[in-house]
């Protein structure tokens, strides 16, 4: 078995949905971290079932040999009226993560999103795309937040994300062009790249120098095709099972891992499934995915 040059962890979203609250609703924090430990993985992100008291969380993770790698942070920088409030909240988020020993911050703009923008109303059906002014405001806000992260020794990693105004390949490109590469990095997500219409390998190659964090997620092509035909929104796609763990979907991970091996990527990568654990048990699917990844690494390392 080839040795991974990077650190591999797993996101609690495999056990408990973040966008679909009924997924894993009865799952406990203890089950999640005990199963992460049993999988032999040493990294996780913050999840909604995790203790919010930093001392308790640190104690529980430490006794299982698990590091808190990051935590999602929604921001609303595309509207300049929210910037100062958002930057204050960002600083508090950074302070928490620094105290937990994290080095990267999963950051996503929610302006325009059908599901995540607090200004949207329930009857709306489409993601609102940005005009030039909104793009400019977003870039300025991200640069400011990135500077705050840098003060504390962390990196802002931008999560291009389905159901938001930065999901398509041209939107990822524009975000990278408008932001300061010294302050704003990229969270490369294989599943969200494909969901947004990009070739994940092309995104990886084009923006590798900006990538500081990775999410490894697969796609069920037949579910995506059916959802697109029905014009289903992002959360509906999750409920229908569009995402799964690497090796269980349509993405070709061999060239992705080859690229990471060749470039000697040494940061964290999180294994993600984001599906109903009642139908797709998190531990079982993660175990199969790890076997799949190790097989690919063995082949690519020869």
């Amino acid at each position: 078995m080839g040795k991974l040059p990077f650190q591999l962890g797993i996101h609690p979203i495999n056990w408990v949905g973040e966008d679909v609250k009924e997924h894993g609703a009865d799952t406990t924090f203890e089950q999640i971290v005990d199963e992460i430990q049993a999988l032999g993985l040493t990294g996780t992100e913050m999840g909604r079932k995790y203790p919010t008291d930093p001392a308790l969380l640190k104690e529980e993770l430490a006794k299982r040999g698990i590091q808190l790698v990051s935590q999602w942070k929604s921001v609303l920088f595309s509207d300049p009226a929210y910037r100062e409030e958002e930057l204050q909240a960002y600083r508090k988020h950074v302070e928490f993560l620094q105290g937990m020993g994290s080095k990267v911050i999963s950051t996503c703009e929610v302006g325009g999103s059908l599901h995540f923008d607090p200004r949207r109303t329930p009857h709306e059906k489409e993601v609102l795309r940005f005009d030039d002014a909104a793009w400019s405001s977003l870039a300025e806000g991200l640069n400011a937040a990135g500077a705050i992260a840098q003060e504390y020794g962390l990196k802002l990693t931008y999560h291009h994300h389905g159901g938001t105004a930065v999901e398509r390949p041209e939107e990822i490109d524009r975000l990278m062009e408008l932001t300061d590469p010294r302050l704003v990095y990229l969270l490369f997500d294989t599943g969200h790249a494909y969901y947004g219409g990009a070739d994940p390998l092309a995104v990886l190659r084009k923006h590798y120098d900006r990538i500081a964090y990775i999410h490894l997620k697969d796609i069920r092509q037949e579910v995506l095709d059916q959802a697109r035909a029905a014009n289903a929104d992002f959360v509906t796609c999750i409920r229908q099972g569009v995402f799964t763990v690497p090796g269980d979907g349509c993405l070709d991970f061999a060239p992705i891992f080859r690229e990471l091996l060749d470039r000697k990527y040494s940061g964290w990568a999180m294994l993600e499934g984001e599906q109903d654990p009642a139908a797709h048990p998190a531990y079982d699917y993660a175990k199969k995915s790890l076997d799949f990844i190790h097989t690919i690494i063995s082949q690519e390392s020869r």
Side-chain angles (χ1 to χ4, degrees), residues 102-168:
S102 307
K103 298 298 181 184
V104 292
I105 309 162
S106 174
T107 306
C108 184
E109 168 67 25
V110 297
S113 170
L114 184 63
H115 304 292
F116 313 125
D117 186 338
R119 303 167 302 175
R120 302 297 298 275
T121 57
H123 69 274
E124 297 178 72
K125 301 296 183 184
E126 301 290 336
V127 174
L128 299 178
R129 302 294 159 182
F130 295 150
D131 58 17
D132 289 345
W135 273 109
S136 178
S137 182
L138 171 58
E140 290 172 6
L142 288 173
N143 286 339
I148 291 171
Q150 195 174 79
E151 283 180 44
Y152 292 82
L154 285 85
K155 291 180 177 178
L156 184 162
T157 57
Y158 190 88
H159 192 336
H160 56 95
H161 199 281
T164 75
V166 186
E167 63 175 331
R168 300 169 178 170

Side-chain angles (χ1 to χ4, degrees), residues 81-100:
Y82 288 80
R83 184 175 304 165
E84 290 309 312
E85 178 184 348
E86 289 290 304
L87 289 175
Q88 289 175 18
Y90 203 85
R91 185 176 292 276
K92 290 180 181 178
H93 197 84
V94 171
E95 289 172 348
F96 166 73
L97 287 177
Q98 185 202 44
M100 294 300 300

